[in-house]
Amino acid sequence: MLSGKANLNYFEPCNQSKKTAFIVTWVLEVEHLEYLIKSLPEWHFHIGALVDCAPALTNLSVYGNVTLCQSIIHNRIEWLLGDATVYLDINYGAEVLDVLSKARDKG
């Protein structure tokens, strides 16, 4: 809102940070996620989950460098992968929707 207009386009970049990390998870246990968020304030973390999240994840949205995408759809995953500087495979669950292969393909 600093620019005077809201970014309401779900697929348009927000330019929140030049350094973006993307994480997709099925589970709420994500290795050292809060530590990374606090230690790397210049990075913006997009956390995607295919379902509604438990408070352990939703509480992370209090940090200004976190965007939580609950009930994320395939197109949004593809877009965030393309926009991310890095993909972090730090969740304890199984791979989500072949995202590791997609991240490798995007470099």
Side-chain angles (χ1 to χ4, degrees):
M1 295 298 293
L2 292 176
S3 68
K5 74 175 198 179
N7 179 5
L8 301 177
N9 186 336
Y10 191 61
F11 291 100
E12 196 167 302
C14 297
N15 295 322
Q16 295 164 333
S17 174
K18 292 181 182 176
K19 300 175 183 177
T20 57
F22 184 42
I23 301 154
V24 180
T25 185
W26 285 107
V27 297
L28 63 97
E29 296 88 8
V30 180
E31 187 75 25
H32 303 295
L33 182 55
E34 189 166 13
Y35 171 79
L36 290 169
I37 291 166
K38 289 179 179 179
S39 299
L40 301 167
E42 70 279 7
W43 281 77
H44 193 86
F45 293 83
H46 291 276
I47 305 164
L50 278 80
V51 296
D52 288 338
C53 297
L57 281 179
T58 58
N59 290 343
L60 295 175
S61 63
V62 300
Y63 297 104
N65 61 335
V66 172
T67 301
L68 183 63
C69 303
Q70 299 182 73
S71 302
I72 195 168
I73 59 174
H74 297 278
N75 289 344
R76 184 68 170 163
I77 290 173
E78 293 285 333
W79 184 86
L80 286 169
L81 265 176
D83 194 51
T85 308
V86 297
Y87 176 76
L88 299 176
D89 181 30
I90 57 175
N91 67 303
Y92 286 110
E95 180 180 0
V96 179
L97 301 175
D98 207 25
V99 73
L100 286 174
S101 299
K102 292 175 185 175
R104 275 189 224 107
D105 291 345
K106 292 186 182 285

